[in-house]
Amino acid sequence: MFYTRFCLFKQAYLHRVGKAIEEMITDAFLKADPHIQIEGSEGIMFTLSTAIDDMVAYTKLTDNVFEQILNHMSSNPDLESAE
């Protein structure tokens, strides 16, 4: 069982393509951070990086954030580099 876990970790989680995709997603989130607002409890707005401070805002950090970045790209030229 431990050998299988080791092999899976080495072959899948640390695969160079997976790491490259992880870097691209991180870069997109960093560039989109000041432009994407998430509503938290009591209507307070949070950025992607500060949403962790509010449980309501944190629960809204789903895969839908990618769609929000893509939707904001058409209206905000600063987000074109996050594509």
Side-chain angles (χ1 to χ4, degrees):
M1 178 175 84
F2 291 111
Y3 179 73
T4 303
R5 182 175 178 222
F6 169 75
C7 288
L8 182 63
F9 188 81
K10 186 176 172 184
Q11 293 174 351
Y13 303 138
L14 295 179
H15 193 274
R16 61 183 169 82
V17 174
K19 296 304 277 181
I21 292 171
E22 184 179 325
E23 291 285 328
M24 291 174 6
I25 291 171
T26 301
D27 188 42
F29 280 161
L30 289 173
K31 290 178 180 176
D33 183 47
H35 305 286
I36 304 292
Q37 297 289 312
I38 299 172
E39 185 176 352
S41 58
E42 300 179 13
I44 300 171
M45 301 305 281
F46 294 90
T47 62
L48 292 173
S49 62
T50 60
I52 195 169
D53 298 331
D54 183 82
M55 184 57 70
V56 174
Y58 182 72
T59 58
K60 293 180 181 177
L61 292 178
T62 62
D63 291 341
N64 188 34
V65 173
F66 290 114
E67 292 178 22
Q68 289 181 14
I69 292 171
L70 289 173
N71 290 337
H72 280 83
M73 281 176 29
S74 61
S75 62
N76 191 338
D78 292 338
L79 285 179
E80 283 188 26
S81 61
E83 182 176 27

Coordinates of all heavy atoms in Angstrom, one line a residue:
M1 N 0.8 -1.2 0.0 CA 0.0 0.0 0.0 C 0.9 1.3 0.0 O 0.6 2.2 -0.7 CB -0.9 0.0 1.2 CG -1.8 1.2 1.3 SD -3.0 1.2 2.7 CE -2.0 1.7 4.0
F2 N 1.9 1.3 0.8 CA 2.8 2.4 0.9 C 3.6 2.6 -0.4 O 3.8 3.7 -0.8 CB 3.7 2.4 2.1 CG 3.0 2.5 3.4 CD1 2.9 1.4 4.3 CD2 2.4 3.7 3.7 CE1 2.2 1.5 5.4 CE2 1.7 3.8 4.9 CZ 1.6 2.7 5.8
Y3 N 4.0 1.5 -1.0 CA 4.7 1.6 -2.3 C 3.8 2.2 -3.4 O 4.3 3.0 -4.1 CB 5.3 0.2 -2.7 CG 6.0 0.2 -4.0 CD1 7.3 0.8 -4.1 CD2 5.4 -0.3 -5.1 CE1 8.0 0.9 -5.3 CE2 6.1 -0.2 -6.3 CZ 7.4 0.4 -6.4 OH 8.0 0.4 -7.6
T4 N 2.6 1.7 -3.4 CA 1.6 2.3 -4.4 C 1.4 3.7 -4.2 O 1.4 4.5 -5.1 CB 0.3 1.5 -4.3 OG1 0.5 0.1 -4.5 CG2 -0.7 2.0 -5.3
R5 N 1.3 4.1 -2.9 CA 1.1 5.6 -2.6 C 2.4 6.4 -3.1 O 2.2 7.4 -3.6 CB 0.9 5.7 -1.1 CG 0.6 7.2 -0.7 CD 0.3 7.3 0.7 NE 0.1 8.7 1.1 CZ 0.5 9.2 2.2 NH1 1.1 8.4 3.1 NH2 0.4 10.5 2.4
F6 N 3.5 5.8 -2.8 CA 4.8 6.5 -3.2 C 4.8 6.6 -4.7 O 5.2 7.7 -5.2 CB 6.0 5.7 -2.7 CG 7.3 6.1 -3.2 CD1 7.9 7.3 -2.8 CD2 7.9 5.4 -4.2 CE1 9.1 7.7 -3.3 CE2 9.1 5.8 -4.7 CZ 9.7 6.9 -4.3
C7 N 4.5 5.6 -5.4 CA 4.6 5.6 -6.9 C 3.6 6.6 -7.4 O 3.9 7.4 -8.4 CB 4.3 4.2 -7.5 SG 5.7 3.1 -7.2
L8 N 2.4 6.6 -6.9 CA 1.3 7.5 -7.4 C 1.8 9.0 -7.1 O 1.6 9.9 -8.0 CB 0.0 7.3 -6.7 CG -1.2 8.1 -7.1 CD1 -1.5 7.9 -8.6 CD2 -2.4 7.8 -6.2
F9 N 2.3 9.2 -5.9 CA 2.8 10.6 -5.6 C 3.9 11.0 -6.6 O 3.8 12.1 -7.1 CB 3.3 10.6 -4.2 CG 3.6 12.0 -3.7 CD1 2.6 12.8 -3.2 CD2 4.9 12.4 -3.7 CE1 2.9 14.1 -2.7 CE2 5.2 13.7 -3.2 CZ 4.2 14.5 -2.8
K10 N 4.8 10.1 -6.8 CA 5.9 10.5 -7.7 C 5.5 10.6 -9.1 O 6.0 11.6 -9.8 CB 7.0 9.4 -7.5 CG 8.3 9.7 -8.3 CD 9.3 8.5 -8.0 CE 10.5 8.7 -8.8 NZ 11.4 7.6 -8.6
Q11 N 4.6 9.8 -9.6 CA 4.3 9.8 -11.0 C 3.1 10.8 -11.4 O 3.1 11.3 -12.5 CB 3.9 8.4 -11.5 CG 5.0 7.4 -11.5 CD 4.6 6.0 -11.8 OE1 3.4 5.7 -11.9 NE2 5.6 5.1 -12.0
A12 N 2.2 11.0 -10.4 CA 1.1 11.8 -10.7 C 1.2 13.2 -10.1 O 1.1 14.2 -10.8 CB -0.2 11.2 -10.3
Y13 N 1.4 13.3 -8.8 CA 1.4 14.6 -8.1 C 2.6 15.4 -8.5 O 2.5 16.7 -8.5 CB 1.2 14.4 -6.6 CG 0.0 13.6 -6.2 CD1 0.1 12.6 -5.2 CD2 -1.2 13.8 -6.9 CE1 -1.0 11.9 -4.9 CE2 -2.3 13.1 -6.5 CZ -2.2 12.1 -5.5 OH -3.3 11.4 -5.1
L14 N 3.7 14.8 -8.7 CA 4.9 15.6 -9.0 C 5.3 15.5 -10.5 O 6.4 15.9 -10.9 CB 6.1 15.0 -8.2 CG 6.0 15.2 -6.7 CD1 7.2 14.6 -6.0 CD2 5.8 16.6 -6.3
H15 N 4.3 15.1 -11.3 CA 4.6 15.1 -12.8 C 4.8 16.5 -13.3 O 4.2 17.5 -12.8 CB 3.4 14.5 -13.5 CG 3.7 14.1 -14.9 ND1 3.6 15.0 -15.9 CD2 4.1 12.9 -15.4 CE1 3.9 14.4 -17.1 NE2 4.2 13.2 -16.8
R16 N 5.7 16.7 -14.2 CA 6.1 18.0 -14.7 C 4.9 18.7 -15.3 O 4.8 20.0 -15.2 CB 7.3 17.9 -15.6 CG 7.0 17.1 -16.9 CD 8.3 17.0 -17.7 NE 8.1 16.0 -18.8 CZ 7.5 16.2 -19.9 NH1 7.0 17.4 -20.2 NH2 7.4 15.3 -20.8
V17 N 4.1 18.0 -16.0 CA 2.9 18.7 -16.6 C 1.9 19.2 -15.6 O 1.4 20.3 -15.6 CB 2.2 17.8 -17.6 CG1 0.9 18.4 -18.2 CG2 3.1 17.4 -18.8
G18 N 1.7 18.4 -14.6 CA 0.8 18.8 -13.4 C 1.4 20.0 -12.7 O 0.7 20.9 -12.3
K19 N 2.7 20.0 -12.5 CA 3.3 21.2 -11.8 C 3.2 22.4 -12.7 O 3.0 23.5 -12.2 CB 4.8 20.8 -11.5 CG 5.0 19.7 -10.5 CD 4.3 19.9 -9.2 CE 5.0 20.8 -8.3 NZ 4.3 21.0 -7.0
A20 N 3.4 22.3 -14.0 CA 3.3 23.4 -14.9 C 1.8 24.0 -14.9 O 1.7 25.2 -14.8 CB 3.6 23.0 -16.3
I21 N 0.9 23.1 -14.9 CA -0.5 23.6 -14.8 C -0.8 24.3 -13.5 O -1.5 25.3 -13.4 CB -1.5 22.4 -15.0 CG1 -1.4 21.9 -16.5 CG2 -2.9 22.8 -14.7 CD1 -2.1 20.7 -16.8
E22 N -0.2 23.7 -12.4 CA -0.4 24.3 -11.1 C 0.2 25.7 -11.1 O -0.4 26.7 -10.5 CB 0.3 23.5 -10.0 CG 0.2 23.9 -8.6 CD 0.9 23.0 -7.7 OE1 0.9 21.8 -7.9 OE2 1.4 23.5 -6.7
E23 N 1.4 25.9 -11.7 CA 2.0 27.2 -11.8 C 1.1 28.2 -12.6 O 1.0 29.4 -12.2 CB 3.4 27.1 -12.4 CG 4.4 26.4 -11.6 CD 4.9 27.3 -10.5 OE1 5.0 28.5 -10.6 OE2 5.2 26.7 -9.4
M24 N 0.5 27.8 -13.7 CA -0.3 28.6 -14.5 C -1.6 29.0 -13.7 O -2.0 30.2 -13.8 CB -0.7 27.9 -15.8 CG 0.5 27.7 -16.7 SD 0.3 26.8 -18.2 CE -1.4 26.4 -18.4
I25 N -2.2 28.1 -13.0 CA -3.4 28.5 -12.2 C -3.0 29.5 -11.1 O -3.7 30.4 -10.9 CB -4.0 27.2 -11.6 CG1 -4.6 26.4 -12.8 CG2 -5.1 27.5 -10.6 CD1 -5.1 25.0 -12.3
T26 N -1.9 29.2 -10.4 CA -1.5 30.2 -9.4 C -1.2 31.6 -10.0 O -1.6 32.6 -9.4 CB -0.2 29.6 -8.7 OG1 -0.4 28.3 -8.2 CG2 0.3 30.6 -7.7
D27 N -0.6 31.6 -11.1 CA -0.3 32.9 -11.8 C -1.6 33.6 -12.1 O -1.8 34.8 -11.9 CB 0.5 32.7 -13.0 CG 1.0 34.0 -13.7 OD1 1.4 34.9 -12.9 OD2 0.9 34.1 -14.9
A28 N -2.6 32.9 -12.6 CA -3.9 33.5 -13.0 C -4.6 34.0 -11.7 O -5.2 35.1 -11.7 CB -4.8 32.5 -13.7
F29 N -4.6 33.3 -10.6 CA -5.2 33.7 -9.4 C -4.5 35.0 -8.9 O -5.2 35.9 -8.4 CB -5.1 32.6 -8.3 CG -6.2 31.6 -8.5 CD1 -6.1 30.4 -7.9 CD2 -7.3 31.8 -9.2 CE1 -7.1 29.4 -8.0 CE2 -8.3 30.9 -9.4 CZ -8.2 29.6 -8.7
L30 N -3.2 35.0 -8.9 CA -2.5 36.2 -8.4 C -2.8 37.4 -9.2 O -2.9 38.5 -8.7 CB -1.0 35.9 -8.4 CG -0.5 34.9 -7.4 CD1 1.0 34.6 -7.6 CD2 -0.7 35.5 -6.0
K31 N -2.9 37.3 -10.5 CA -3.2 38.4 -11.4 C -4.6 38.9 -11.2 O -4.9 40.1 -11.4 CB -2.9 38.1 -12.8 CG -1.4 38.0 -13.1 CD -1.0 37.7 -14.5 CE 0.5 37.6 -14.6 NZ 0.9 37.1 -16.0
A32 N -5.5 37.9 -11.0 CA -7.0 38.3 -10.8 C -7.3 38.7 -9.4 O -8.4 39.3 -9.3 CB -7.8 37.0 -11.2
D33 N -6.5 38.5 -8.5 CA -6.8 38.8 -7.1 C -7.4 40.2 -6.8 O -8.5 40.3 -6.2 CB -5.6 38.5 -6.2 CG -5.9 38.7 -4.7 OD1 -6.9 38.2 -4.2 OD2 -5.1 39.4 -4.0
P34 N -6.8 41.2 -7.3 CA -7.4 42.6 -7.0 C -8.6 42.9 -7.8 O -9.3 43.9 -7.5 CB -6.2 43.5 -7.3 CG -5.3 42.8 -8.2 CD -5.5 41.4 -8.0
H35 N -8.9 42.1 -8.8 CA -10.1 42.4 -9.7 C -11.3 41.6 -9.4 O -12.4 42.0 -9.8 CB -9.7 42.2 -11.1 CG -8.5 42.9 -11.5 ND1 -8.4 44.3 -11.7 CD2 -7.2 42.5 -11.7 CE1 -7.2 44.7 -12.0 NE2 -6.4 43.6 -12.0
I36 N -11.2 40.5 -8.7 CA -12.4 39.6 -8.4 C -12.8 39.9 -7.0 O -12.0 39.7 -6.0 CB -12.0 38.1 -8.6 CG1 -11.5 37.9 -10.0 CG2 -13.2 37.2 -8.3 CD1 -12.5 38.0 -11.1
Q37 N -14.1 40.2 -6.8 CA -14.6 40.5 -5.5 C -15.6 39.4 -5.1 O -16.5 39.0 -5.9 CB -15.3 41.8 -5.4 CG -14.4 43.0 -5.7 CD -13.5 43.2 -4.5 OE1 -13.9 43.3 -3.4 NE2 -12.2 43.4 -4.8
I38 N -15.5 38.8 -3.9 CA -16.4 37.8 -3.4 C -17.2 38.3 -2.2 O -16.6 38.8 -1.3 CB -15.6 36.5 -3.1 CG1 -14.9 36.0 -4.3 CG2 -16.6 35.5 -2.5 CD1 -14.0 34.9 -4.1
E39 N -18.5 38.2 -2.3 CA -19.3 38.7 -1.2 C -19.3 37.7 0.0 O -19.6 36.5 -0.2 CB -20.7 38.9 -1.6 CG -21.6 39.6 -0.5 CD -23.0 39.9 -1.0 OE1 -23.3 39.8 -2.3 OE2 -23.8 40.3 -0.2
G40 N -19.0 38.2 1.2 CA -19.0 37.4 2.4 C -20.2 37.8 3.3 O -21.2 38.3 2.8
S41 N -20.0 37.4 4.5 CA -21.1 37.7 5.5 C -21.3 39.2 5.7 O -20.4 40.0 5.5 CB -20.8 37.0 6.8 OG -19.6 37.5 7.4
E42 N -22.6 39.5 5.9 CA -23.0 40.9 6.0 C -22.7 41.8 4.8 O -22.5 43.0 5.0 CB -22.4 41.5 7.3 CG -22.8 40.8 8.6 CD -22.1 41.3 9.8 OE1 -21.6 42.4 9.8 OE2 -22.2 40.6 10.9
G43 N -22.5 41.2 3.7 CA -22.3 41.9 2.4 C -20.9 42.5 2.3 O -20.7 43.3 1.3
I44 N -20.0 42.1 3.1 CA -18.6 42.6 3.0 C -17.9 41.9 1.8 O -18.1 40.7 1.6 CB -17.8 42.3 4.3 CG1 -18.5 43.0 5.5 CG2 -16.4 42.7 4.2 CD1 -17.9 42.6 6.8
M45 N -17.2 42.7 1.0 CA -16.6 42.2 -0.2 C -15.1 41.8 0.1 O -14.4 42.5 0.8 CB -16.6 43.2 -1.3 CG -18.0 43.6 -1.7 SD -19.1 42.2 -2.2 CE -18.5 41.9 -3.8
F46 N -14.7 40.7 -0.4 CA -13.3 40.2 -0.2 C -12.7 39.9 -1.5 O -13.3 39.6 -2.5 CB -13.4 38.9 0.6 CG -13.8 39.1 2.0 CD1 -15.2 38.9 2.3 CD2 -13.0 39.4 3.0 CE1 -15.6 39.1 3.6 CE2 -13.4 39.5 4.3 CZ -14.7 39.4 4.6
T47 N -11.3 40.0 -1.6 CA -10.6 39.5 -2.8 C -10.4 38.0 -2.6 O -10.7 37.4 -1.6 CB -9.3 40.3 -2.9 OG1 -8.5 39.9 -1.7 CG2 -9.4 41.8 -3.0
L48 N -9.8 37.4 -3.7 CA -9.5 36.0 -3.6 C -8.6 35.6 -2.4 O -8.8 34.6 -1.8 CB -8.9 35.5 -4.9 CG -9.8 35.6 -6.2 CD1 -8.9 35.2 -7.4 CD2 -10.9 34.6 -6.0
S49 N -7.6 36.5 -2.2 CA -6.6 36.2 -1.1 C -7.2 36.4 0.3 O -6.6 35.9 1.2 CB -5.3 36.9 -1.4 OG -5.6 38.3 -1.3
T50 N -8.2 37.3 0.4 CA -8.7 37.6 1.7 C -10.0 36.9 2.1 O -10.5 37.0 3.2 CB -8.9 39.1 1.9 OG1 -9.8 39.6 0.9 CG2 -7.6 39.9 1.8
A51 N -10.5 36.1 1.1 CA -11.7 35.4 1.3 C -11.6 34.3 2.4 O -12.6 33.9 3.0 CB -12.2 34.7 0.0
I52 N -10.4 33.9 2.7 CA -10.2 32.9 3.8 C -10.5 33.5 5.2 O -10.8 32.7 6.1 CB -8.7 32.4 3.8 CG1 -8.6 31.1 4.6 CG2 -7.8 33.5 4.2 CD1 -7.3 30.4 4.4
D53 N -10.6 34.8 5.3 CA -10.9 35.4 6.6 C -12.4 35.4 6.9 O -12.8 35.7 8.0 CB -10.4 36.9 6.6 CG -8.9 37.0 6.4 OD1 -8.2 36.0 6.8 OD2 -8.5 38.0 5.9
D54 N -13.3 35.0 6.0 CA -14.7 35.0 6.2 C -15.2 33.7 5.7 O -15.0 33.3 4.5 CB -15.4 36.1 5.4 CG -16.8 36.2 5.7 OD1 -17.2 36.8 6.7 OD2 -17.6 35.7 4.8
M55 N -16.0 32.9 6.5 CA -16.4 31.6 6.2 C -17.4 31.6 5.0 O -17.3 30.8 4.1 CB -17.1 30.9 7.4 CG -17.5 29.5 7.1 SD -16.1 28.4 6.5 CE -15.2 28.3 8.0
V56 N -18.3 32.6 4.9 CA -19.2 32.7 3.8 C -18.5 32.9 2.5 O -18.7 32.3 1.5 CB -20.3 33.8 4.0 CG1 -21.2 34.0 2.8 CG2 -21.1 33.4 5.3
A57 N -17.5 33.8 2.5 CA -16.7 34.1 1.3 C -15.9 32.9 0.9 O -15.7 32.6 -0.3 CB -15.9 35.4 1.5
Y58 N -15.3 32.3 1.9 CA -14.5 31.1 1.7 C -15.2 30.0 1.0 O -14.7 29.3 0.1 CB -13.8 30.6 3.0 CG -12.9 29.5 2.8 CD1 -11.6 29.7 2.3 CD2 -13.2 28.2 3.3 CE1 -10.8 28.6 2.1 CE2 -12.4 27.1 3.1 CZ -11.1 27.3 2.5 OH -10.3 26.3 2.4
T59 N -16.4 29.8 1.4 CA -17.2 28.7 0.8 C -17.6 29.0 -0.7 O -18.0 28.1 -1.4 CB -18.5 28.4 1.6 OG1 -19.3 29.6 1.6 CG2 -18.2 27.9 3.0
K60 N -17.4 30.2 -1.1 CA -17.7 30.6 -2.5 C -16.5 30.4 -3.4 O -16.6 30.7 -4.6 CB -18.2 32.0 -2.6 CG -19.6 32.2 -1.9 CD -20.1 33.6 -2.0 CE -21.4 33.7 -1.3 NZ -21.9 35.1 -1.3
L61 N -15.4 30.0 -2.8 CA -14.2 29.8 -3.6 C -14.2 28.4 -4.2 O -13.7 27.4 -3.7 CB -12.9 29.9 -2.8 CG -12.6 31.3 -2.3 CD1 -11.3 31.3 -1.4 CD2 -12.4 32.3 -3.4
T62 N -14.9 28.3 -5.3 CA -15.1 27.0 -6.0 C -14.5 27.1 -7.4 O -13.9 28.1 -7.8 CB -16.6 26.7 -6.1 OG1 -17.3 27.7 -6.9 CG2 -17.3 26.6 -4.8
D63 N -14.7 26.1 -8.2 CA -14.2 26.2 -9.6 C -14.9 27.3 -10.4 O -14.4 27.7 -11.5 CB -14.5 24.8 -10.3 CG -13.7 23.7 -9.8 OD1 -12.6 24.0 -9.1 OD2 -14.0 22.5 -10.0
N64 N -15.9 27.8 -9.9 CA -16.6 28.9 -10.5 C -15.7 30.2 -10.6 O -15.9 31.1 -11.5 CB -17.9 29.3 -9.8 CG -18.8 30.3 -10.5 OD1 -18.8 30.3 -11.7 ND2 -19.4 31.1 -9.8
V65 N -14.7 30.3 -9.8 CA -13.8 31.4 -9.8 C -13.1 31.5 -11.2 O -12.8 32.6 -11.7 CB -12.7 31.3 -8.7 CG1 -11.7 32.3 -8.8 CG2 -13.5 31.4 -7.3
F66 N -12.8 30.3 -11.8 CA -12.2 30.3 -13.1 C -13.1 31.0 -14.1 O -12.6 31.8 -15.0 CB -11.9 28.9 -13.6 CG -10.8 28.2 -12.9 CD1 -11.0 27.1 -12.1 CD2 -9.5 28.7 -13.0 CE1 -10.0 26.5 -11.4 CE2 -8.5 28.1 -12.3 CZ -8.7 27.0 -11.5
E67 N -14.4 30.7 -14.1 CA -15.3 31.4 -15.0 C -15.4 32.9 -14.7 O -15.5 33.6 -15.7 CB -16.7 30.7 -14.8 CG -16.7 29.3 -15.3 CD -18.1 28.7 -15.1 OE1 -19.1 29.4 -15.0 OE2 -18.2 27.4 -15.1
Q68 N -15.3 33.3 -13.5 CA -15.4 34.7 -13.1 C -14.2 35.4 -13.7 O -14.3 36.5 -14.3 CB -15.4 34.9 -11.6 CG -16.7 34.5 -11.0 CD -16.6 34.8 -9.5 OE1 -15.7 35.5 -9.0 NE2 -17.6 34.2 -8.8
I69 N -13.0 34.8 -13.7 CA -11.8 35.3 -14.3 C -12.0 35.5 -15.8 O -11.7 36.5 -16.3 CB -10.6 34.5 -13.9 CG1 -10.2 34.6 -12.4 CG2 -9.3 35.0 -14.7 CD1 -9.2 33.6 -12.0
L70 N -12.5 34.5 -16.4 CA -12.7 34.5 -17.9 C -13.7 35.6 -18.2 O -13.6 36.3 -19.2 CB -13.1 33.2 -18.4 CG -12.1 32.1 -18.4 CD1 -12.7 30.7 -18.8 CD2 -10.9 32.5 -19.3
N71 N -14.8 35.7 -17.4 CA -15.8 36.7 -17.7 C -15.3 38.2 -17.5 O -15.6 39.1 -18.3 CB -17.0 36.5 -16.8 CG -17.8 35.3 -17.2 OD1 -17.7 34.8 -18.4 ND2 -18.6 34.7 -16.3
H72 N -14.4 38.3 -16.5 CA -13.9 39.7 -16.3 C -12.8 40.1 -17.3 O -12.5 41.2 -17.4 CB -13.3 39.8 -14.8 CG -14.4 40.0 -13.8 ND1 -15.1 38.9 -13.3 CD2 -14.8 41.1 -13.2 CE1 -15.9 39.4 -12.4 NE2 -15.8 40.7 -12.3
M73 N -12.2 39.1 -17.9 CA -11.2 39.4 -18.9 C -11.7 40.2 -20.1 O -10.9 41.1 -20.5 CB -10.6 38.1 -19.5 CG -9.6 37.4 -18.5 SD -8.9 35.9 -19.1 CE -9.0 36.0 -20.8
S74 N -12.9 40.0 -20.5 CA -13.4 40.8 -21.6 C -13.6 42.3 -21.3 O -13.5 43.1 -22.1 CB -14.7 40.2 -22.1 OG -15.7 40.2 -21.1
S75 N -13.9 42.5 -20.0 CA -14.2 43.9 -19.6 C -13.0 44.6 -18.9 O -13.0 45.8 -18.7 CB -15.4 44.0 -18.7 OG -15.2 43.3 -17.5
N76 N -12.0 43.8 -18.6 CA -10.8 44.4 -17.9 C -9.5 44.0 -18.6 O -9.1 42.8 -18.4 CB -10.9 43.9 -16.4 CG -9.9 44.6 -15.5 OD1 -8.9 45.2 -16.0 ND2 -10.1 44.6 -14.2
P77 N -8.9 44.9 -19.2 CA -7.7 44.5 -20.0 C -6.5 44.1 -19.1 O -5.6 43.4 -19.5 CB -7.3 45.8 -20.7 CG -8.1 46.9 -20.1 CD -9.3 46.3 -19.4
D78 N -6.6 44.4 -17.8 CA -5.5 44.0 -16.8 C -5.5 42.5 -16.6 O -4.5 41.9 -16.2 CB -5.7 44.7 -15.5 CG -5.4 46.2 -15.5 OD1 -4.7 46.6 -16.5 OD2 -5.9 46.9 -14.7
L79 N -6.7 41.8 -16.9 CA -6.8 40.4 -16.7 C -6.4 39.6 -17.9 O -6.4 38.4 -17.8 CB -8.2 40.0 -16.2 CG -8.5 40.4 -14.8 CD1 -10.0 40.0 -14.5 CD2 -7.6 39.7 -13.8
E80 N -6.1 40.2 -19.0 CA -5.8 39.4 -20.2 C -4.6 38.6 -20.0 O -4.5 37.5 -20.5 CB -5.6 40.4 -21.4 CG -6.9 40.9 -22.0 CD -6.6 41.6 -23.3 OE1 -5.7 41.4 -23.9 OE2 -7.5 42.5 -23.5
S81 N -3.6 39.0 -19.2 CA -2.4 38.2 -18.9 C -2.7 37.0 -18.0 O -1.9 36.1 -17.9 CB -1.3 39.1 -18.3 OG -1.8 39.6 -17.1
A82 N -3.9 37.0 -17.4 CA -4.3 35.9 -16.5 C -4.8 34.7 -17.3 O -5.1 33.6 -16.8 CB -5.3 36.3 -15.5
E83 N -5.0 34.9 -18.6 CA -5.6 33.8 -19.5 C -4.7 32.6 -19.6 O -3.7 32.5 -19.8 CB -5.9 34.4 -20.8 CG -6.6 33.4 -21.7 CD -7.0 34.0 -23.0 OE1 -6.3 35.0 -23.5 OE2 -7.9 33.5 -23.6

